[in-house]
Amino acid sequence: MLTRSSSLILALALLGCVSPLAAQSSVPATDFEWELQTPDRTLFRDRIPIGQVPLTVAGKSGFFGNRKKSGAEVIALWTEVAFVPGDTARFLALSLELNAGESPRAAALLDAVEFPSLYKSVEYVLSTSRNIAGTERTDTRVVYRSRGGFELAFIQRIKAQRVEFHFPARNGEQAIVRSLSRDQLSLFKDILDLALFELQRQGASLPPVGGK
């Protein structure tokens, strides 16, 4: 029979056997998520819809210029604010959601401080895709990755280009990837302009972006 002390030693040994990956998976990826999960307090949370980018059903390759049929999926952008009632501290974030009708398929959350880097990456991808469109590239890539695992990827092979959004895996499921045309990415940037205004209205202190 195990004594109380030997049971404690066994429990500690078992905890030590937990893999670092399993331990990390339970840690919130963003400061905003950490605030949402902090227990023993009342947290007010407000989500403000900013805009949507309609996507398309799968085509032959997803490269710029291909004709595709309109689909039901959209990428929806929201700004989020949370605070403890009576406290002056406000926690701000940008939420990206892949939705099909009323059904969410994937989501990604970025802390407000990540907004300028995302915006500049979108601008860079748009300008680079135009500048090298007529050149032949063996394999050129531009990748932006958020703290929470969301990725914006631009890829050009020979003269074929594509842009992808990678939504991180959740609950053991695989990551979800969607292709965007240049026009769709440009619309996404326009919606980011509106998101910037809303984040600043909510109190975010962000540096100028987009030459503003």
Side-chain angles (χ1 to χ4, degrees):
M1 181 179 293
L2 293 176
T3 64
R4 182 176 180 181
S5 59
S6 60
S7 298
L8 179 60
I9 292 173
L10 178 61
L12 292 174
L14 290 174
L15 286 175
C17 293
V18 176
S19 69
L21 181 60
Q24 291 175 6
S25 63
S26 62
V27 177
T30 63
D31 293 336
F32 189 83
E33 288 174 300
W34 187 89
E35 297 294 346
L36 294 181
Q37 296 178 25
T38 300
D40 195 30
R41 65 176 181 173
T42 300
L43 193 68
F44 179 93
R45 183 182 180 188
D46 206 4
R47 305 180 74 235
I48 300 96
I50 303 300
Q52 296 183 342
V53 179
L55 297 185
T56 54
V57 297
K60 292 182 179 179
S61 62
F63 294 148
F64 287 148
N66 281 2
R67 296 183 63 185
K68 292 190 174 185
K69 182 181 177 181
S70 296
E73 286 188 338
V74 299
I75 293 177
L77 276 74
W78 302 67
T79 56
E80 303 213 21
V81 56
F83 58 87
V84 176
D87 196 334
T88 58
R90 297 170 74 85
F91 315 112
L92 299 162
L94 179 71
S95 177
L96 283 70
E97 298 178 356
L98 175 65
N99 297 326
E102 299 297 323
S103 303
R105 292 190 172 174
L109 199 62
L110 287 79
D111 287 322
V113 294
E114 297 182 88
F115 183 94
S117 59
L118 171 64
Y119 191 99
K120 291 176 182 178
S121 180
V122 171
E123 281 193 319
Y124 184 76
V125 166
L126 285 170
S127 62
T128 300
S129 66
R130 287 191 297 266
N131 293 339
I132 69 174
T135 66
E136 292 191 3
R137 325 286 293 194
T138 303
D139 191 329
T140 297
R141 297 166 183 255
V142 178
V143 178
Y144 166 84
R145 182 179 175 86
S146 74
R147 291 173 57 189
F150 170 80
E151 289 187 5
L152 161 64
F154 165 75
I155 304 166
Q156 179 168 333
R157 295 192 181 106
I158 312 302
K159 293 186 179 181
Q161 298 180 339
R162 72 175 182 268
V163 169
E164 297 175 344
F165 278 5
H166 294 233
F167 290 88
R170 290 288 186 265
N171 301 322
E173 298 179 354
Q174 292 184 344
I176 293 180
V177 179
R178 289 294 183 269
S179 295
L180 285 79
S181 68
R182 188 186 288 114
D183 287 343
Q184 288 169 328
L185 187 64
S186 181
L187 174 59
F188 180 77
K189 187 184 79 69
D190 291 341
I191 298 175
L192 286 179
D193 285 325
L194 300 176
L196 173 64
F197 173 82
E198 182 59 32
L199 287 171
Q200 290 176 329
R201 189 184 73 83
Q202 294 286 355
S205 178
L206 299 174
V209 295
K212 297 174 184 175

